[in-house]
Amino acid sequence: MPNLPLSLTIQAWLLVLMCLAVAGHKFEILGFKIAFLGFAILVLSSLIVGLVALVLALIGKHSLATGFGALCIGLLPVGVVLMLVGAGLKVPAIHDISTDLAAPPEFTAAQALRKEGENSLDMPSEAVRKQQADFYTSLAPITVQAAPNLAFKKALRVAEQLGWQVHFTDSAKLRFEAVDETALFGFKDDIVVRVRATGQGSVIDVRSVSRVGESDLGANAKRIQAFVDAFKQ
């Protein structure tokens, strides 16, 4: 980047490093803490470079176009972070969501995929379930007038259509487990789907649990709702 002003060159490299931090976690090269801390430091550095460039432009050290350009680049990742933080402030700080709060579907195989120190897959506490019930009022099991085995097969097809990585199925108990990733950082969340017979057909329950973080920023509820909507279409 020899033809770019120094501030813009620095900003370009900081953006590259931010992308590497995100990709490093997504492809499991970097741990969560290292990747997230590195990303935060790079975002702050980019903002500082942008502000310094603007000040230098205002005192005539280089062009206003360069100063404002560097500042805009510095504000871009800050905007992304603020959007994520804003989303987190609007939802309860929980990461275990289920369509059945009385008896959430239990995981069988997911624990073997989790690392030490990641979130528990035990039944969520009463306080967590109350937070979900108070906030995610529209989440509910799927009830269909179809035989359980047919509902199970359809649920599997829907999960695959949504891009979930199904890694465990139990056709006898009509359950399967899958993993889905968030777009940013590739955070992995574990999902279990359970089908049960009812007097008039079947009921399908879905539970989605984040592996890291106290708050899921609403990702698990959105994932479950997407499954429900796709199943009903």
Side-chain angles (χ1 to χ4, degrees):
M1 308 173 196
N3 296 325
L4 285 177
L6 179 60
S7 58
L8 296 181
T9 301
I10 295 173
Q11 291 290 56
W13 279 112
L14 287 173
L15 287 178
V16 170
L17 292 174
M18 289 179 211
C19 293
L20 289 176
V22 172
H25 183 270
K26 186 176 182 66
F27 295 105
E28 300 183 350
I29 300 171
L30 299 174
F32 166 67
K33 291 182 179 179
I34 294 176
F36 191 79
L37 180 60
F39 182 80
I41 292 173
L42 290 167
V43 169
L44 180 60
S45 299
S46 182
L47 178 60
I48 292 172
V49 169
L51 291 172
V52 171
L54 179 62
V55 170
L56 291 176
L58 292 175
I59 62 177
K61 295 296 183 180
H62 52 65
S63 68
L64 287 175
T66 297
F68 280 109
L71 180 61
C72 288
I73 295 173
L75 289 174
L76 181 62
V78 173
V80 173
V81 171
L82 290 177
M83 287 177 59
L84 292 175
V85 172
L89 293 176
K90 295 177 183 178
V91 301
I94 57 179
H95 55 261
D96 190 337
I97 306 295
S98 174
T99 56
D100 185 348
L101 292 174
E106 296 183 1
F107 289 92
T108 300
Q111 189 60 57
L113 303 177
R114 293 197 163 206
K115 299 176 183 177
E116 184 178 355
E118 293 184 337
N119 292 329
S120 171
L121 289 174
D122 295 339
M123 180 178 288
S125 67
E126 183 178 347
V128 169
R129 284 179 280 169
K130 185 178 186 305
Q131 284 181 288
Q132 179 193 321
D134 291 342
F135 190 84
Y136 297 113
T137 55
S138 62
L139 283 184
I142 306 171
T143 55
V144 292
Q145 293 181 343
N149 64 318
L150 296 179
F152 178 72
K153 290 178 180 178
K154 181 176 180 180
L156 267 174
R157 290 198 303 270
V158 170
E160 291 168 350
Q161 290 168 2
L162 292 173
W164 297 359
Q165 302 169 27
V166 178
H167 60 84
F168 172 82
T169 59
D170 187 337
S171 300
K173 294 184 178 180
L174 301 179
R175 296 173 60 262
F176 68 85
E177 296 179 31
V179 175
D180 192 27
E181 293 186 8
T182 61
L184 186 63
F185 276 99
F187 293 123
K188 288 182 171 62
D189 299 335
D190 290 295
I191 311 151
V192 56
V193 177
R194 178 187 66 198
V195 180
R196 293 179 293 176
T198 64
Q200 298 178 336
S202 307
V203 58
I204 301 101
D205 282 297
V206 187
R207 180 183 175 193
S208 184
V209 185
S210 300
R211 292 187 182 180
V212 297
E214 181 179 356
S215 174
D216 62 6
L217 305 181
N220 287 304
K222 289 179 181 178
R223 178 179 297 111
I224 293 175
Q225 191 61 58
F227 178 89
V228 172
D229 293 342
F231 191 97
K232 290 181 177 180
Q233 286 180 357

